[in-house]
């Protein structure tokens, strides 16, 4: 493997990390910017399957930025592990990742823990790596109620509408 190949693989990893930071940071623009301009194939199971990133970005924005009495009520944590990136050309690649996901939902007073596998396709668009396809297959999840004694402390988020 050449140094250039290693740089390409690292760039793909950085793209996926930016994607997860955007998810956790409630950043719809950052989320959307991780995908190609048009025609990305996305299948996130219960969240839906789409032939473009825009509908998924709209769902993300509705969920991530949902507020009650001015306060956010949904909090996500995405941890990506075990990257397996395969370069298929100088400007295309595939990737597989294990996801560890946790969500606190103050509307439903629940906590969800889930693990799954991402299968992605990447392409260079305008000189930058972008996702052209992303499929998440859930392996297992558990949802449990937050007890009356649960205290949730929320930090700060800088979002486009703040």
């Amino acid at each position: 493997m050449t140094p250039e190949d290693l740089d390409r693989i690292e760039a793909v990893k950085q793209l996926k990390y930016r994607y997860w930071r955007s998810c956790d940071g409630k950043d719809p623009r950052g989320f959307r910017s991780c995908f190609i301009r048009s025609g990305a194939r996305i299948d996130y199971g219960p969240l839906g399957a789409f032939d473009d990133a825009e509908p998924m970005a709209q769902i993300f924005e509705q969920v991530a930025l949902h507020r009650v009495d001015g306060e956010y009520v949904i909090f996500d944590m995405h941890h990506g592990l075990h990257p397996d990136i395969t370069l298929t050309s100088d400007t295309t690649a595939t990737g597989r990742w294990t996801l560890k996901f946790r969500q606190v939902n103050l509307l439903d007073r629940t906590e969800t823990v889930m693990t799954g596998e991402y299968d992605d396709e990447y392409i260079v668009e305008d000189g930058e790596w972008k996702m052209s396809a992303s499929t998440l297959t859930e392996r297992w999840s558990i949802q449990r109620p937050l007890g009356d004694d649960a205290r949730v402390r929320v930090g700060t988020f800088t979002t486009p509408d703040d």
Side-chain angles (χ1 to χ4, degrees):
M1 190 167 296
T2 69
E4 292 80 12
D5 288 344
L6 293 174
D7 289 345
R8 287 182 193 97
I9 289 170
E10 184 60 26
V12 168
K13 289 179 182 179
Q14 292 302 313
L15 166 66
K16 194 68 175 188
Y17 297 146
R18 277 193 307 279
Y19 166 79
W20 284 317
R21 279 194 304 278
S22 295
C23 291
D24 296 346
K26 301 183 172 298
D27 179 3
R29 281 185 237 157
F31 175 93
R32 178 62 183 90
S33 73
C34 292
F35 293 93
I36 57 175
R37 271 189 308 279
S38 166
R41 294 182 331 275
I42 299 172
D43 185 348
Y44 287 168
L47 288 176
F50 309 95
D51 58 6
D52 190 72
E54 199 57 42
M56 187 63 231
Q58 291 172 5
I59 291 170
F60 168 74
E61 184 169 358
Q62 290 170 358
V63 172
L65 300 184
H66 189 88
R67 295 182 195 222
V68 173
D69 297 328
E71 301 294 325
Y72 292 116
V73 292
I74 308 285
F75 304 97
D76 291 343
M77 181 177 72
H78 296 75
H79 288 181
L81 308 163
H82 315 304
D84 184 3
I85 310 301
T86 301
L87 298 173
T88 53
S89 78
D90 288 347
T91 58
T92 60
T94 60
R96 191 139 212 246
W97 301 81
T98 297
L99 172 68
K100 287 175 51 177
F101 173 78
R102 188 173 216 158
Q103 181 182 78
V104 172
N105 181 328
L106 297 180
L107 290 173
D108 298 339
R109 301 259 330 139
T110 58
E111 174 191 31
T112 301
V113 177
M114 185 267 286
T115 186
E117 295 292 323
Y118 276 100
D119 288 291
D120 295 337
E121 296 176 20
Y122 309 96
I123 190 166
V124 174
E125 182 179 74
D126 299 328
E128 292 185 82
W129 284 97
K130 302 286 182 171
M131 283 186 275
S132 60
S134 184
T135 299
L136 176 63
T137 303
E138 183 178 309
R139 296 294 184 225
W140 63 265
S141 67
I142 184 171
Q143 187 176 72
R144 55 187 160 222
L146 292 174
D148 292 337
D149 59 342
R151 301 290 175 252
V152 178
R153 187 175 67 211
V154 178
T156 58
F157 292 90
T158 304
T159 61
D161 65 337
D162 286 338

